[in-house]
Amino acid sequence: MRYITLKMTFQAEEEMFFPLNPVNTFRGAIGYALKHISCIQRKTLADKYACNSCKIAGRCAYALCYETSKSHFNSQAVANLRTFEMPHLMNIDSGFPGNTVVKAGESFSFSIRLFGTAASVAPHLIVAAQNAAEHGFKGSRAILKQISDEATGKIIWSMQNDSLMLPETENLYVAEPDWKNTENCELKLNFVSPVAFRDGKTNSITKEPEFSRIIGSLMRRYTVFEATEGRTLDWHFSEISDLAAKVRISGMNVEPVYWERFSTRQQQRMPISGIIGEVRYIGPAAAFEDLLNAGEILRCGRSITFGQGRINVAQIRHLSNRDEFDGFIKK
């Protein structure tokens, strides 16, 4: 699966304030600018359902990043997908904490990661970023100073050299978890930004970070991202899920976080929330090491497009024998 990460550095022309979740402010500004330069339905630009009926939505830069749907997939690749909420092919990180005042002349940055076929719309996003900065974030204007390839550090565009060097795409390959591998591990995960899940049975939102929820989310996202490029994963999903269910939480040091975002569609503020902190797990997690490491790129849970779901693998300690595992349980 292809992906790229663009780091966009801006300079504030006037003082600006970012709320607890700066990603939402940036995402909204970029989305408005991207739709303006991408949408061919000028008369229905404000219509919230316009993308659903558009004949070129499958190739539109805005729709790819903000209105991901099954029209963006090879029909054969999505035939077996059982997900109603299609993961967006873009996520955004802020290079600074929320509740921050950026003074005039100071720099700030955001990073945009594009997955699968969305990697091809990077030039559109660059133009959108320029336009968004000129119109202002929350009404305060800025200048786009430079854009770099976050993976290599190479500058691909700057004010001094107004020529675009397209970033190189990276490849992410995740091996199928070996569902026959029952080796026990002690696992520590850091939830860097709020993480929450939608319960598949009740359709309600839960902050309980069961290991099976994390693995299920990562598998769905990776499956969908591969499907955008016409590839279908031939994994033993049921057996993998059964193994993940045997890994249990052994300790938590977390706190709830409550953000809110403004929904342009619904014209109202909407709460989003999750937990941050460290969660420790114990059980047959060795088979999931590759998938968990990929999760630092893929993210997990809900509202990822609004900055949630960042995880970091702090430790995977293999428990080499049954005695060591039993000793850990008795601690």
Side-chain angles (χ1 to χ4, degrees):
M1 177 194 73
R2 295 176 297 156
Y3 74 95
I4 60 172
T5 309
L6 305 174
K7 181 179 180 180
M8 300 183 172
T9 302
F10 300 86
Q11 180 177 302
E13 289 196 301
E14 49 195 328
E15 184 174 282
M16 57 180 63
F17 172 76
F18 285 95
L20 283 173
N21 180 17
V23 168
N24 191 49
T25 299
F26 181 72
R27 181 184 182 274
I30 291 289
Y32 182 85
L34 184 61
K35 189 168 188 177
H36 186 77
I37 65 176
S38 303
C39 186
I40 64 169
Q41 302 186 91
R42 294 298 180 188
K43 293 183 180 180
T44 57
L45 190 62
D47 184 354
K48 62 183 179 182
Y49 300 114
C51 291
N52 296 340
S53 58
C54 181
K55 293 181 179 180
I56 69 160
R59 303 184 302 277
C60 171
Y62 174 81
L64 271 168
C65 297
Y66 283 81
E67 299 289 345
T68 309
S69 68
K70 289 193 175 183
S71 66
H72 299 120
F73 301 84
N74 176 287
S75 58
Q76 183 177 357
V78 299
N80 298 321
L81 290 180
R82 293 177 165 182
T83 179
F84 297 100
E85 294 184 6
M86 302 304 291
H88 291 277
L89 304 178
M90 174 183 76
N91 64 39
I92 303 172
D93 293 329
S94 62
F96 56 97
N99 233 4
T100 295
V101 174
V102 179
K103 297 180 180 179
E106 291 183 344
S107 296
F108 60 96
S109 66
F110 290 92
S111 295
I112 298 179
R113 182 169 289 138
L114 301 170
F115 298 95
T117 53
S120 62
V121 305
H124 295 76
L125 276 166
I126 291 170
V127 175
Q130 291 174 314
N131 293 349
E134 291 174 3
H135 284 90
F137 302 116
K138 291 282 189 181
S140 300
R141 295 194 305 167
I143 300 172
L144 179 60
K145 293 175 60 178
Q146 70 175 40
I147 301 175
S148 59
D149 182 340
E150 193 164 85
T152 63
K154 292 182 180 178
I155 297 176
I156 63 172
W157 178 90
S158 68
M159 293 176 60
Q160 290 73 30
N161 182 18
D162 191 20
S163 62
L164 177 63
M165 179 178 65
L166 292 178
E168 297 180 10
T169 57
E170 296 184 80
N171 290 307
L172 178 65
Y173 171 75
V174 181
E176 178 183 10
D178 181 4
W179 51 274
K180 296 179 181 179
N181 181 1
T182 58
E183 180 186 355
N184 289 307
C185 287
E186 175 195 3
L187 169 68
K188 294 180 182 179
L189 291 182
N190 287 329
F191 291 10
V192 182
S193 68
V195 176
F197 303 90
R198 184 176 294 279
D199 188 281
K201 295 180 180 179
T202 65
N203 203 37
S204 60
I205 306 303
T206 177
K207 300 181 185 69
E208 294 299 320
E210 280 94 347
F211 188 75
S212 58
R213 297 187 197 279
I214 296 171
I215 295 302
S217 177
L218 294 178
M219 287 198 297
R220 282 191 296 274
R221 290 180 65 75
Y222 184 58
T223 299
V224 169
F225 293 160
E226 285 283 24
T228 67
E229 301 190 277
R231 290 190 287 272
T232 303
L233 297 185
D234 187 22
W235 285 10
H236 297 78
F237 291 103
S238 179
E239 290 84 352
I240 294 170
S241 298
D242 288 344
L243 182 64
K246 296 178 181 178
V247 180
R248 66 178 181 82
I249 297 172
S250 62
M252 292 195 295
N253 182 18
V254 299
E255 60 179 298
V257 174
Y258 299 94
W259 286 349
E260 68 174 17
R261 67 179 183 88
F262 181 78
S263 172
T264 304
R265 279 188 175 179
Q266 301 184 41
Q267 288 297 300
Q268 62 178 332
R269 296 192 177 280
M270 302 181 65
I272 55 177
S273 62
I275 57 170
I276 60 171
E278 182 185 85
V279 182
R280 300 182 299 280
Y281 300 88
I282 187 73
F288 302 100
E289 188 168 353
D290 194 29
L291 182 59
L292 289 168
N293 287 328
E296 296 184 358
I297 296 171
L298 296 171
R299 311 294 165 82
C300 73
R302 63 185 302 272
S303 298
I304 291 173
T305 189
F306 299 104
Q308 296 202 178
R310 292 180 64 184
I311 63 172
N312 172 259
V313 180
Q315 180 186 42
I316 298 181
R317 186 169 72 91
H318 296 258
L319 304 177
S320 57
N321 55 57
R322 183 70 197 186
D323 290 339
E324 188 176 2
F325 177 71
D326 290 341
F328 181 91
I329 293 296
K330 293 175 183 178
K331 287 182 181 179

